[in-house]
């Protein structure tokens, strides 16, 4: 029926970019609202449920997700999020520091800075509580010392302190400000750097016992430092460039701020610590600022009072709420993005003119190939005219020039064209144009998403001129305008059906091409080769198995076939261990028990497949891989899948060069800023030629 009809088709990213302008859209193989990452709640830890911990006054986060809490009694507790196990680090009444201390962690070293009494800073081994260094006094190497805030990076410790002694009568200026200093210490407690600046100041309460919690410090892996001064709502950014720091100061809106965290993108997160009445709505959020101090938005994933914020190396955010005695863990989750400062996830595309090259063209219909999840929408509006020019905001514009003009904002472009667009057609897949007559046609397409979902548009076709089944009926059916319009719309339903059938017949070859087929069609093709697929299999996995099917069937049931199967599915070949390979070792009574534990005993019909965890990261992929191996192994055999852990010590299932490496020892040099680890071995460098503590296999010794 469409033999006389022509159409414009947009089905590639460059087509969309050339034929129009967009806002907040990703022009990929599927046109969708831009997606980014926003913080969402991963879990909430209720501290009141941890027996013995009590009221928490400070906390720190280990790189492996362990948390350290300091309670009101001055006791330290460690908590493992994986095992849900918590234990006390020191015995009660240790008198090493008080409940007013600040905490920070680097590697396995816990730093504790206490300003109560005689100020001190200590470093402890988190594994056994051993003291690594301690420095105390009102001065460190002649520098006044009163710790206000603490932060650490992989190189050492950063301490925010006052520049002048606390009791110096000249330390406070006429406006009540004190100058600050940022001290950087090495892992052994040696001062490596001190930063001061006359503009680096803070207003502190009159009583020193009220200073705690008024200053917050965060340091990025690049060495940039961020300081939040809460009494005047000032944010200091101490950016490091070529070894020098550049100070910037930003004043934020007056608010009760508390807590400061900075992620790997230099995005700044500051909490809200206002007191909310019992009947008041909790509108306290974490506020996000850019790296140059500009306000961005708020983190809607968390609501409540924030007493402290920590962002770890994986950009997970830990928020301590002292009111509810909770620590909330947030992580970045994929979400659709808002448009131009709006929280509404929306994207818009404005087309340039589709030119039919004939005046008074009656445009027929448009068809969309799209996925529209529940709760989302695609809206299509159109405008048609024989003229390329239009009166917009009191000036005659060529419509394409107005759409492409960079001097006007996108919202101005929408407002200027608003009176001319048709009523929007919501979630169409195939729709007729009504009243669209003219040489030129313009389209406006809106993508309306939800927090997690976005419509995805793969292809757009615009058909012209009008050609329906009505033209095949006698002329009497076209004489009356009202009935003609109704009949034309009614018959278009059947015309759409016929068009789709014709397109499917024309594209039948693609149904049998595994590189082009997808979804259920691809799995139907795989069934021709006896590949039973799961609904959770990705299309790329299915295509890889189909491509490898000739070789897989040729070597089905063999060691080579199993290896090829795993390599096809995971991208890497496995290690396969069969009974004959360790049979000789089982003859040794001392090794028999070990071999049985490793590879399942003396059953000659059992083989073991050793796999790295990265070959199938998720449990779902591991289940799919096991079922796939079960289908392709010999029927009388049993397979054992062993997932190798990245061990750092020699133990069971440890394989040199696979998940374990041996490092060459290096000479130890003791310098003033170095400390000697407890596993250091001191030997004579020339003790070669005998088996001893200094023997290094392959370097100064060998086995024959």
């Amino acid at each position: 029926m469409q033999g006389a009809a022509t159409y414009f088709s947009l089905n590639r990213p460059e087509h969309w970019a050339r034929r129009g302008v967009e806002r907040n859209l990703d022009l990929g193989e599927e046109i969708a609202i831009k997606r980014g990452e926003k913080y969402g709640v991963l879990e909430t830890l209720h501290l009141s449920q941890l027996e013995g911990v009590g009221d928490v006054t400070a906390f720190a986060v280990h790189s492996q997700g362990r948390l350290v809490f300091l309670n009101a009694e001055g006791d330290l507790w460690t908590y493992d999020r994986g095992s849900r196990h918590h234990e006390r680090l020191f015995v009660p009444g240790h008198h090493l520091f008080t409940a007013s201390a600040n905490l920070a962690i680097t590697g396995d070293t816990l730093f504790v800075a206490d300003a109560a009494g005689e100020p001190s800073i200590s470093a402890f081994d988190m594994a056994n509580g051993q003291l690594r260094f301690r420095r105390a006094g009102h001065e460190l190497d002649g520098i006044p010392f009163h710790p206000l805030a603490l932060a650490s990076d992989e190189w050492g410790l950063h301490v925010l302190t006052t520049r002048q002694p606390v009791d110096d009568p000249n330390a406070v200026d006429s406006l009540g400000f004190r100058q600050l200093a940022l001290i950087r210490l090495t892992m052994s407690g040696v001062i490596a750097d001190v930063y001061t600046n006359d503009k680096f100041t803070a207003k502190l309460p009159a009583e020193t016992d009220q200073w705690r919690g008024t200053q917050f410090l965060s340091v990025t892996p690049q060495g940039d430092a961020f300081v939040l001064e809460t009494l005047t709502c000032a944010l200091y950014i101490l950016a490091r460039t070529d070894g020098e720091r550049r100070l910037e100061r930003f004043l934020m809106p007056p608010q009760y701020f508390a807590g400061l965290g900075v992620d790997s993108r230099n995005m700044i997160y500051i909490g809200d610590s206002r007191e909310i009445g019992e009947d008041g709505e909790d509108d306290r959020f974490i506020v996000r600022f850019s790296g140059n101090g500009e306000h961005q938005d708020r983190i809607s994933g968390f609501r409540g009072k924030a007493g402290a914020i920590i962002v770890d190396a994986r950009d997970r955010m830990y928020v301590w709420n002292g009111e509810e005695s909770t620590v909330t863990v947030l992580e970045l989750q994929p979400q659709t993005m808002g448009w131009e400062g709006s929280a509404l996830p929306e994207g818009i595309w404005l087309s340039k003119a589709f030119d039919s090259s004939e005046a008074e063209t009656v445009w027929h219909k448009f068809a969309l190939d799209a996925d529209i999840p529940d709760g989302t929408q695609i809206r299509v509006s159109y405008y048609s005219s024989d003229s390329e020019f239009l009166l917009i905001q009191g000036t005659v514009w060529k419509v394409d020039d107005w759409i492409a003009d960079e001097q006007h904002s996108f919202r101005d472009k929408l407002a200027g064209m608003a009176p001319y667009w048709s009523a929007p057609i919501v979630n169409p897949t195939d729709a007729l144009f009504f009243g669209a007559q003219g040489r030129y046609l313009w389209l406006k397409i809106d993508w309306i998403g939800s927090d997690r979902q976005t419509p995805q548009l793969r292809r757009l076709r615009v058909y012209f001129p009008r050609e329906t089944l009505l033209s095949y009926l006698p002329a009497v059916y076209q004489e009356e305008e009202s009935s003609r319009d109704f009949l034309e719309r009614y018959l278009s339903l059947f015309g759409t059906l016929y068009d789709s059938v014709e397109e499917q017949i024309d594209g039948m070859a693609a149904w049998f091409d595994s590189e082009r087929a997808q979804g259920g069609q691809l799995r139907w093709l795989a069934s021709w080769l006896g590949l039973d697929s799961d609904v959770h299999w990705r299309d790329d996995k299915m295509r890889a198995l189909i491509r490898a099917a000739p070789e897989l069937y040729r070597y089905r049931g063999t060691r080579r076939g199993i290896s090829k199967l795993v390599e096809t599915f995971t991208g890497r070949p496995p290690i396969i261990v069969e009974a004959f390979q360790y049979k000789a070792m089982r003859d040794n009574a001392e090794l028999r028990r070990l071999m049985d534990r490793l590879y399942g005993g003396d059953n000659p019909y059992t083989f073991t497949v050793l796999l790295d965890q990265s070959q199938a990261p998720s449990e779902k992929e591991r289940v799919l891989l096991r079922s796939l191996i079960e289908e392709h192994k010999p029927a009388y055999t049993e397979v054992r899948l062993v997932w190798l852990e990245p061990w750092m010590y020699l133990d069971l299932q440890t394989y040199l060069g696979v998940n374990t490496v041996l490092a060459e020892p290096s000479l130890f040099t003791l310098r003033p800023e170095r400390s000697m680890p407890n596993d250091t071995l001191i030997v004579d460098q020339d003790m070669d030629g005998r088996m001893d503590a200094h023997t290094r296999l392959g370097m100064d010794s060998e086995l024959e």
Side-chain angles (χ1 to χ4, degrees):
M1 187 196 73
Q2 295 292 345
T6 56
Y7 57 83
F8 292 99
S9 180
L10 283 72
N11 52 16
R12 298 178 64 86
E14 55 267 26
H15 296 167
W16 293 90
R18 185 174 65 250
R19 299 293 312 219
V21 295
E22 56 78 25
R23 280 298 179 272
N24 200 35
L25 292 176
D26 279 327
L27 301 183
E29 294 301 323
E30 296 177 332
I31 314 302
I33 302 173
K34 286 184 177 179
R35 298 178 65 84
E37 292 183 319
K38 295 182 180 179
Y39 277 102
V41 175
L42 178 63
E43 68 172 314
T44 299
L45 172 63
H46 296 272
L47 304 181
S48 59
Q49 298 177 0
L50 302 181
E51 183 179 357
V53 173
D55 296 330
V56 170
T57 61
F59 83 109
V61 180
H62 187 267
S63 59
Q64 300 300 322
R66 294 171 58 197
L67 280 72
V68 177
F69 298 110
L70 175 67
N71 66 12
E73 287 73 37
D75 292 333
L76 281 177
W77 290 80
T78 63
Y79 174 79
D80 191 303
R81 290 179 46 233
S83 63
R84 309 290 180 181
H85 173 73
H86 70 286
E87 62 181 1
R88 196 191 305 267
L89 188 59
F90 296 114
V91 297
H94 51 74
H95 302 300
L96 297 172
F97 42 81
T98 68
S100 62
N102 292 311
L103 308 178
I105 298 176
T106 294
D108 291 326
T109 302
L110 171 66
F111 297 100
V112 183
D114 192 2
E118 184 182 35
S120 65
I121 184 165
S122 307
F124 301 94
D125 189 312
M126 286 188 59
N128 51 29
Q130 179 182 354
L131 179 66
R132 292 186 171 177
F133 74 80
R134 176 180 173 84
R135 303 199 64 178
H138 294 279
E139 290 187 355
L140 297 182
D141 298 343
I143 302 170
F145 180 65
H146 187 95
L148 300 172
L150 203 62
S152 61
D153 57 21
E154 60 178 323
W155 309 111
L157 184 66
H158 300 258
V159 184
L160 183 68
T161 182
T162 55
R163 184 174 179 179
Q164 288 88 16
V166 174
D167 55 358
D168 187 346
N170 299 319
V172 183
D173 64 15
S174 59
L175 297 177
F177 285 86
R178 290 178 179 264
Q179 292 190 0
L180 301 176
L182 184 64
I183 302 175
R184 182 168 65 89
L185 290 85
T186 65
M187 296 295 292
S188 57
V190 177
I191 294 180
D193 182 37
V194 179
Y195 175 80
T196 59
N197 190 305
D198 292 344
K199 298 180 180 180
F200 188 27
T201 61
K203 178 171 285 189
L204 297 170
E207 302 296 330
T208 57
D209 58 358
Q210 299 178 4
W211 287 8
R212 186 175 188 272
T214 61
Q215 315 295 312
F216 295 90
L217 173 65
S218 183
V219 179
T220 68
Q222 295 76 27
D224 297 338
F226 299 78
V227 177
L228 173 63
E229 201 273 277
T230 60
L231 295 188
T232 59
C233 297
L235 175 66
Y236 293 95
I237 301 178
L238 287 68
R240 180 180 290 275
T241 305
D242 298 329
E244 301 292 331
R245 289 196 182 275
R246 183 183 72 256
L247 178 68
E248 295 182 78
R249 183 174 185 264
F250 301 93
L251 288 178
M252 297 178 296
Q255 192 170 322
Y256 293 95
F257 289 116
L260 173 67
V262 183
D263 65 13
S264 59
R265 302 167 298 176
N266 268 22
M267 301 304 294
I268 306 166
Y269 302 91
I270 300 177
D272 187 342
S273 64
R274 287 176 294 143
E275 300 293 336
I276 301 294
E278 294 183 0
D279 298 332
E281 180 182 357
D282 195 344
D283 58 349
R284 296 171 295 184
F285 295 91
I286 295 174
V287 184
R288 182 167 69 102
F289 296 84
S290 65
N292 57 10
E294 294 181 359
H295 177 267
Q296 297 289 311
D297 53 18
R298 62 187 187 182
I299 306 302
S300 58
F302 173 84
R303 180 180 296 192
K305 182 176 182 178
I309 298 174
I310 296 177
V311 180
D312 67 11
R314 293 183 293 178
D315 282 343
R316 282 186 174 172
M317 185 186 300
Y318 299 78
V319 184
W320 170 50
N321 184 339
E323 279 185 352
E324 300 181 1
S325 190
T326 60
V327 171
T328 303
V329 185
L330 299 96
E331 69 174 357
L332 290 171
Q333 300 171 351
Q335 291 187 348
T336 50
M337 304 298 292
W339 173 48
E340 294 187 357
S342 172
L344 179 65
E346 179 183 10
I348 299 180
W349 181 77
L350 295 177
S351 78
K352 297 178 182 178
F354 293 98
D355 185 0
S356 68
S357 73
E358 292 187 10
E360 298 184 356
T361 297
V362 178
W363 295 85
H364 179 33
K365 69 173 184 176
F366 65 91
L368 304 181
D369 179 12
D371 289 332
I372 307 177
D374 292 340
T376 67
Q377 291 182 351
I378 288 182
R379 301 176 182 175
V380 180
S381 302
Y382 52 88
Y383 168 70
S384 181
S385 174
D386 280 323
S387 173
E388 294 183 89
F389 296 89
L390 198 63
L391 182 64
I392 301 177
Q393 295 182 351
T395 304
V396 176
W397 280 82
K398 186 177 180 180
V399 179
D400 284 2
D401 292 343
W402 172 261
I403 290 174
D405 183 53
E406 297 182 354
Q407 301 300 319
H408 291 83
S409 69
F410 203 80
R411 294 193 183 277
D412 287 341
K413 296 177 184 180
L414 294 176
M417 291 285 294
Y420 302 101
W421 295 118
S422 69
I425 303 173
V426 180
N427 291 350
T429 56
D430 190 291
L432 291 175
F433 290 113
F434 292 104
Q437 183 173 353
R439 175 177 174 176
Y440 304 101
L441 176 77
W442 291 269
L443 294 179
K444 178 170 75 79
I445 305 179
D446 294 73
W447 283 253
I448 308 297
S450 62
D451 286 344
R452 300 292 180 86
Q453 300 287 342
T454 171
Q456 296 178 329
L457 179 56
R458 287 180 290 272
R459 185 179 66 180
L460 165 68
R461 282 188 177 180
V462 177
Y463 292 86
F464 69 96
R466 176 63 58 85
E467 178 70 21
T468 66
L469 291 174
L470 184 61
S471 61
Y472 293 90
L473 297 180
V476 66
Y477 290 98
Q478 306 180 39
E479 292 178 354
E480 187 177 347
E481 184 65 28
S482 59
S483 62
R484 180 181 185 276
D485 180 67
F486 168 78
L487 188 57
E488 191 172 46
R489 288 186 285 117
Y490 175 73
L491 292 176
S492 68
L493 299 175
F494 303 97
T496 297
L497 175 62
Y498 293 150
D499 289 345
S500 64
V501 172
E502 288 179 356
E503 287 185 8
Q504 291 180 20
I505 294 174
D506 292 340
M508 184 65 70
W511 287 39
F512 303 99
D513 186 350
S514 62
E515 299 301 322
R516 298 174 61 187
Q518 55 187 341
Q521 182 64 28
L522 182 62
R523 282 146 183 76
W524 178 65
L525 287 178
S527 67
W528 289 18
L529 300 174
L531 296 174
D532 294 331
S533 62
D534 186 276
V535 293
H536 298 102
W537 284 30
R538 300 201 310 266
D539 286 357
D540 59 328
K541 299 287 188 184
M542 290 301 307
R543 292 191 181 97
L545 290 173
I546 291 174
R547 286 193 294 266
E551 185 175 357
L552 293 178
Y553 277 104
R554 181 181 181 184
Y555 298 103
R556 188 183 181 98
T558 66
R559 180 190 182 105
R560 179 173 175 177
I562 297 295
S563 179
K564 178 64 177 177
L565 177 69
V566 175
E567 183 178 6
T568 301
F569 189 85
T570 67
R572 292 171 52 189
I575 300 174
I576 299 178
V577 181
E578 297 183 72
F580 74 89
Q581 293 178 266
Y582 57 86
K583 181 179 179 181
M585 291 199 219
R586 291 196 78 258
D587 294 339
N588 186 324
E590 296 179 357
L591 297 177
R592 183 180 300 116
R593 185 176 179 183
L594 176 60
M595 292 299 104
D596 291 348
R597 290 182 61 189
L598 287 175
Y599 307 117
D602 60 346
N603 185 355
Y605 302 111
T606 297
F607 65 96
T608 303
V609 180
L610 305 176
L611 296 155
D612 189 89
Q613 290 193 15
S614 61
Q615 290 180 268
S618 67
E619 186 63 29
K620 183 186 301 180
E621 290 179 303
R622 296 183 183 184
V623 172
L624 295 177
L625 182 58
R626 169 173 282 280
S627 63
L628 197 61
I629 295 176
E630 290 284 353
E631 292 176 6
H632 285 73
K633 70 176 181 62
Y636 56 86
T637 61
E638 178 184 350
V639 60
R640 297 179 69 250
L641 265 62
V642 175
W643 298 95
L644 300 180
E645 300 283 349
W647 299 125
M648 296 305 294
Y649 53 88
L650 295 179
D651 198 357
L652 298 180
Q653 304 297 359
T654 300
Y655 298 88
L656 186 60
V658 178
N659 62 341
T660 307
V661 296
L662 293 181
E664 180 180 342
S666 58
L667 297 178
F668 175 76
T669 303
L670 190 62
R671 297 175 183 171
E673 72 276 9
R674 298 284 181 89
S675 63
M676 184 179 295
N678 56 13
D679 57 351
T680 302
L681 181 65
I682 300 179
V683 297
D684 182 359
Q685 187 174 354
D686 298 324
M687 290 175 57
D688 298 337
R690 62 173 180 169
M691 296 292 291
D692 201 351
H694 187 59
T695 301
R696 298 169 295 180
L697 188 61
M699 298 178 62
D700 58 6
S701 306
E702 63 181 17
L703 296 179
E704 297 182 356

